[in-house]
Each structure stands twice: as structure tokens, then as C-alpha cells.
Amino acid sequence: MLLTMSTTVLSGIRATGRLHLGNYLGAVKGMLALQQEEAISTFFMVADVHTITTPYNIDELRINRREVIIDYLAAGLDPERSTLFLQSMVGEHLELAFLFSSVMSIARMQHLPTFKDKVKQYPEHATMALLNYPLLMAADILLYKANLVPVGIDQEPHIEITRQVARKMNEVYGTQLPEPQRFATKGEYVPSLQGIGKMSKSVEGSYISLTDTKTEILDRLKQAPTDSGVGRLTAMSQGVKNLLQLVELFSGAEKRKEYESQYEDTGIRYGALKAELATAIFAELKPLQERRQQFIAKPKLVDEVIEAGVTKARAVARETLDEVKEKMGLG
Ligand code: TYM
């Protein structure tokens, strides 16, 4: 996609706990790449309101939403370049989400795969908040008229809903909301360490956290399934494919090819592969962890970043909300 002066970027991460490699590679790396572009405006929020759409602990949420801001700063998001804020502190998000619900059918929302998955995961919590999750996300994006959204591939159905909402709002009410695209990174789908599905915070054993030590990373990798080491005799298992994908993401395509040749030839020594991979992952995470400590030691600075971000976000959000309300006869 061609980046121009009118490109605006928004993304967010829920406050469900420590960020993992999936969040980092699928979302944060895209945020960092886009922040580099002089011409464009970047808004990165903590989706703390989205966090309440599945069961959560109130005290943990209080801590975690701030921790995501610290993770953003540690990863290199720069408050001088990007607006960093908490979604719950900009009430316009909730207001616009409700207005959007006037153009979206219940059936469309119920058929979303992301909704169905969550209902399966938490059958006791099939709430209205969960059903409305994608409309709140559409509001997050469209309040800033963002046309580019750095997120993992799992979020594509939500981006599609956002485009649909924008189209419908423009048709029915004559608004001029953009139809955003997803900004994809090389790590748009980071697989689970367990061999099945994607890396996910809600699946224990599937992830590596950004705050893990080298030993913890290696311990987690040790649990990852492989095969007998003479894999060339059978089809490559999903577990091995996943490990090779991580090798490519952290050590490059050449390294992956080396292991693939080994696989065909002598078979891979998985203990050595895992040790090498743990070293490569930790080498990337170490500077983040060090910066994280620096920000933890400066709580006032973090407060100031949030306050300034909320003020900036609110000003833009208010303007869009006023425009939409005016068009809807509510101005
Ligand atoms: P959340 O908190 O579930 O995930 C945050 C980001 O991490 C990406 N991600 C992955 N990417 C690659 N491989 C994985 N295994 C993996 N696991 C997670 C997600 O794609 C996401 O980019 N709905 C969003 C939060 C949100 C949002 C928004 C995003 C709320 N409002 C507005 C963008 C714009 C979510 O589920 O995040």
C-alpha cells in the first residue's frame, strides 16, 4: 500500500496480561514500522474496554492496562511520534460503537468466526459485550479515520466488519468514513508452540512472553513437540513446521533452509535447534526487557505519556463523533 500524507494508522492490544511473541510479531512490529514513516499519523491504544468482553479479574485489569503502555514504550513506540492512550479514557469509542450498531444486523455479528470461537471457549459468557466486540473495534479505527491497521491475520474478520460499517454509514447517513486495510507483517500468524493453532495467551504452553528469561524461553521450547529426528522418512509434522517458522522469523530464511537440508539429510537434532532458537529469541527480547525496567522505574513519565495521549486522541475522536452525530440527526 502506498503511504501518503493522508494515511492514518490505529491499532490496539487487549490488556489480558504479558504480551507474547504473537502480539509482538503480528502487531507491534507493524506499529514500529509504520511509526517510522514521517508522513503518517499513528494512534496506538490499549483496548482495555475490549478486555471486559471475556471473563477477567478487575485488579489484574487495573495493572495490565498500564503494563501494555509500558510494553509499547519498551518495544520502541515513541510518544513523540505516536499517540499512546487507553481506550476507556476516551468515552467517544463507546458512543460511536453504539451508533454503529444501528447499521449492523444481529445475524451478521453472530456468524463471525471470532464470536463463535469465544462462545465455545466461554459458553457461560455469551454476552452482548462480546457480540458488540467488532463494533467497538470499528469505532476505535473509524474515530481516527484510520485507513491502515497493523494487526495479525486473526483480526481480518474484524477489519472486514469495519469496512462494512464504514460503507453502510456512508450509504445510509452520508458520512465519509474510510474503508481500512490490514497492514501485514512477516509474523502475521505466529503458530502455537504446541503444534496446533496459533500462539495465544489463553492457551497455556502455546506462547513465549516478551518478559521471559532465556531459561524460560528454552524451557517452553523444550515442551514443543517435534518428531523422532529422522523426519525425512515421513511427512514433516506440524510441530516441526512451527519451529522452522520461528527459526525463519528470528534467524532468517537462510537458517531455515539449513535446517530443512538437515531434515532431508541426517535429520535435525532438535535439542540443538531449540537451544539456538532460544538464543535468537532472547537476543531480540533483551533490549526490550532492559528498556521495560527503565520505564517501570519512571511511573510519572508513564502517567504523562498516557495523559498526553488521551488528550490528543480525545480531540480527534470528538471531531469525528460530532460529524457522525450531525449526519444522523443527533447533532
Ligand atoms: P489481541 O489483544 O487479541 O491481540 C493483539 C494483537 O496481536 C495479534 N496476535 C497475533 N499475531 C500473530 N500471531 C499470533 N499468534 C497472534 N496472536 C495475537 C493480534 O492479531 C492483534 O493484532 N481485537 C484486537 C484488539 C483491538 C484492536 C482494535 C486492534 C481492539 N480494537 C482496533 C486494532 C484496531 C485483539 O484481539 O487484540
Side-chain angles (χ1 to χ4, degrees):
M1 185 187 197
L2 193 64
L3 301 174
T4 67
M5 286 296 278
S6 61
T7 302
T8 300
V9 173
L10 180 129
S11 193
I13 294 184
R14 283 174 305 148
T16 43
R18 290 281 69 71
L19 299 199
H20 57 67
L21 289 185
N23 303 136
Y24 177 63
L25 298 168
V28 178
K29 279 234 169 170
M31 299 179 190
L32 288 167
L34 291 167
Q35 177 186 254
Q36 304 271 318
E37 302 291 332
E38 279 295 319
I40 66 180
S41 313
T42 42
F43 293 85
F44 301 124
M45 52 165 228
V46 181
D48 51 354
V49 181
H50 275 104
T51 311
I52 70 162
T53 61
T54 45
Y56 73 102
N57 176 295
I58 295 172
D59 293 330
E60 282 174 13
L61 174 58
R62 264 192 202 112
I63 296 168
N64 286 339
R65 60 193 202 137
R66 199 185 151 80
E67 294 287 298
V68 178
I69 293 282
I70 295 174
D71 283 330
Y72 281 167
L73 293 168
L77 293 182
D78 175 2
E80 297 289 320
R81 287 271 318 123
S82 297
T83 305
L84 308 180
F85 67 103
L86 301 182
Q87 179 191 34
S88 61
M89 292 174 79
V90 184
E92 283 80 358
H93 290 239
L94 293 162
E95 211 176 321
L96 188 63
F98 189 85
L99 300 181
F100 283 172
S101 69
S102 70
V103 295
M104 196 48 69
S105 76
I106 298 169
R108 173 74 175 97
M109 304 298 283
Q110 278 175 328
H111 282 117
L112 268 183
T114 41
F115 175 71
K116 288 185 184 166
D117 288 350
K118 285 281 181 246
V119 170
K120 236 187 248 165
Q121 200 178 347
Y122 306 105
E124 308 290 317
H125 288 269
T127 60
M128 286 302 298
L130 188 60
L131 190 64
N132 277 319
Y133 185 116
L135 293 184
L136 181 56
M137 185 157 157
D140 299 337
I141 296 166
L142 296 176
L143 266 180
Y144 303 90
K145 301 195 173 150
N147 36 24
L148 205 52
V149 185
V151 281
I153 202 163
D154 61 314
Q155 295 300 305
E156 191 58 57
H158 292 155
I159 307 292
E160 179 54 36
I161 285 276
T162 304
R163 285 192 285 269
Q164 225 176 53
V165 167
R167 266 198 303 276
K168 281 262 185 116
M169 290 295 294
N170 296 346
E171 258 168 47
V172 177
Y173 299 116
T175 51
Q176 288 182 323
L177 300 170
E179 291 185 33
Q181 298 293 320
R182 187 171 69 89
F183 179 78
T185 61
K186 270 204 272 176
E188 65 175 9
Y189 180 88
V190 179
S192 161
L193 295 181
Q194 292 181 328
I196 304 161
K198 63 165 186 159
M199 185 172 285
S200 163
K201 184 80 208 179
S202 55
V203 183
E204 197 43 55
S206 80
Y207 61 87
I208 289 172
S209 293
L210 297 193
T211 46
D212 281 348
T213 62
K214 192 172 168 191
T215 313
E216 283 166 335
I217 295 170
L218 186 57
D219 285 346
R220 292 189 196 262
L221 287 174
K222 278 182 184 163
Q223 305 299 317
T226 51
D227 57 28
S228 60
V230 284
R232 66 197 185 284
L233 300 177
T234 54
M236 189 182 277
S237 70
Q238 194 56 46
V240 174
K241 282 185 194 160
N242 291 355
L243 281 176
L244 290 182
Q245 193 181 333
L246 287 175
V247 166
E248 179 166 347
L249 287 166
F250 286 95
S251 308
E254 280 307 308
K255 193 81 207 165
R256 179 188 182 134
K257 276 196 203 124
E258 254 175 54
Y259 280 121
E260 278 170 347
S261 313
Q262 261 184 41
Y263 183 86
E264 294 298 331
D265 185 13
T266 53
I268 299 175
R269 285 171 50 240
Y270 292 113
L273 179 152
K274 287 177 175 181
E276 215 175 346
L277 181 56
T279 303
I281 293 173
F282 186 65
E284 179 137 358
L285 298 188
K286 193 164 170 256
L288 270 76
Q289 294 180 2
E290 285 168 359
R291 279 199 297 269
R292 191 166 211 290
Q293 288 313 319
Q294 291 167 14
F295 286 110
I296 287 175
K298 293 181 193 153
K300 206 158 157 265
L301 175 70
V302 176
D303 287 343
E304 283 165 9
V305 165
I306 296 173
E307 211 173 297
V310 167
T311 305
K312 262 169 93 182
R314 216 181 258 150
V316 180
R318 194 67 240 168
E319 211 171 298
T320 307
L321 184 67
D322 285 346
E323 271 169 37
V324 173
K325 285 177 78 174
E326 179 60 35
K327 298 274 189 192
M328 292 180 77
L330 298 166

